[in-house]
Amino acid sequence: RVRPEAAESLRRARRDGDPRTPPVASREPRVPPPQDVLDDPERYSRYEQGERMAVYASFMDASKRRIGELEELVARGERDGLPPEQLAEGRRKLEGLKARREELLSRFPELAPPD
């Protein structure tokens, strides 16, 4: 059974969007690889890996900032007496980001920020 206020919240979010959703970041247009790279499977594989690593590096950078923001929000929520469900949601997001960062760092140590 769905609570009426939960159903209404979902209707509002579908119609107007969720105000907690972060804005979509703008990206530079993707530049396709040169034809000689497209013609060589080995070079194209390296090109794809480079593209993938750029995405991972971008995630690492953005997640570091977001982790700091979430830690601050959770701490403020605890101080301000936020409902336990909201605190739990913030902690889940925080732990999920940290886990994904650790997973990427274990697979790709070169993504570690310089000391």
Side-chain angles (χ1 to χ4, degrees), residues 87-104:
L87 286 171
E89 180 182 355
R91 288 184 187 112
R92 272 193 311 277
K93 289 180 180 185
L94 180 58
E95 293 311 311
L97 271 177
K98 287 179 177 180
R100 182 64 176 140
R101 280 180 61 86
E102 289 304 314
E103 176 191 339
L104 282 174

Side-chain angles (χ1 to χ4, degrees), residues 5-73:
E5 59 272 8
E8 178 56 31
S9 174
L10 179 60
R11 269 194 290 281
R12 239 187 346 268
R14 287 185 65 196
R15 184 184 61 236
D16 304 323
D18 186 338
R20 300 171 299 171
T21 303
V24 175
S26 61
R27 291 188 339 187
E28 295 294 320
R30 184 176 178 272
V31 177
Q35 189 61 45
D36 60 325
V37 171
L38 291 172
D39 293 338
D40 183 341
E42 188 176 313
R43 287 181 68 194
Y44 186 72
S45 179
R46 285 194 308 266
Y47 168 81
E48 279 186 320
Q49 181 62 20
E51 292 287 297
R52 197 169 14 259
M53 292 305 290
V55 169
Y56 294 159
S58 177
F59 171 82
M60 294 296 287
D61 185 49
S63 65
K64 181 179 179 185
R65 285 190 308 272
R66 186 64 179 147
I67 285 170
E69 292 168 1
L70 283 172
E71 288 173 336
E72 185 179 313
L73 286 171

